Amino acid sequence: DDTITSVIESKAVENPLPQLGRLRELLNDRRKHKFYKCVAEVEIGTLGGDELWEMSEDEINEEFLAQQPRHLDSDGKVVRLEADDFIVEKRTLHYGRKEKNPVSH
């Protein structure tokens, strides 16, 4: 594959600079098809409502960790999730209709 993207990726993987260590790791994971997995989704309207929405992502992260979350790995073993195992990301979806939520309108 001779695309500019693959050339840049190859150069980054081959580059020994320590600053590119995380990039090399991510690119190698992508090549090996080791992707992030969604282990949980929390929809603001169904769990916590306004209280959860008003919390910062860090506060939600701490609250989630306090519940001692567990996940089954690919071998079926129960693994306790740690802070760096997941990402909390709050989003507002409006599907192009802004305040008129298409589900409730």
Side-chain angles (χ1 to χ4, degrees):
D1 190 5
D2 262 353
T3 65
I4 187 76
T5 303
S6 65
V7 171
I8 292 170
E9 286 179 6
S10 294
K11 295 288 183 193
V13 169
E14 295 166 5
N15 192 315
L17 283 173
Q19 299 92 324
L20 297 179
R22 181 67 179 135
L23 175 61
R24 280 192 299 275
E25 189 179 313
L26 289 170
L27 290 172
N28 284 325
D29 285 350
R30 191 180 116 199
R31 288 177 177 178
K32 295 174 186 174
H33 295 261
K34 290 174 57 180
F35 301 115
Y36 292 110
K37 295 178 183 151
C38 180
V39 295
E41 278 187 49
V42 176
E43 201 170 307
I44 299 301
T46 62
L47 182 63
D50 291 336
E51 293 172 11
L52 186 59
W53 185 250
E54 291 171 4
M55 294 171 70
S56 71
E57 290 175 350
D58 289 336
E59 290 171 324
I60 295 170
N61 191 343
E62 290 172 18
E63 187 76 26
F64 188 68
L65 279 175
Q67 297 175 20
Q68 298 183 346
R70 300 195 182 330
H71 171 68
L72 291 178
D73 69 6
S74 59
D75 297 328
K77 296 178 185 173
V78 176
V79 178
R80 184 169 189 272
L81 296 176
E82 302 295 331
D84 58 345
D85 290 330
F86 60 92
I87 299 168
V88 174
E89 183 176 86
K90 295 182 351 181
R91 293 182 177 191
T92 302
L93 302 178
H94 58 75
Y95 302 98
R97 296 194 59 196
K98 301 201 179 359
E99 278 71 40
K100 293 182 179 179
N101 180 336
V103 175
S104 58
H105 279 82

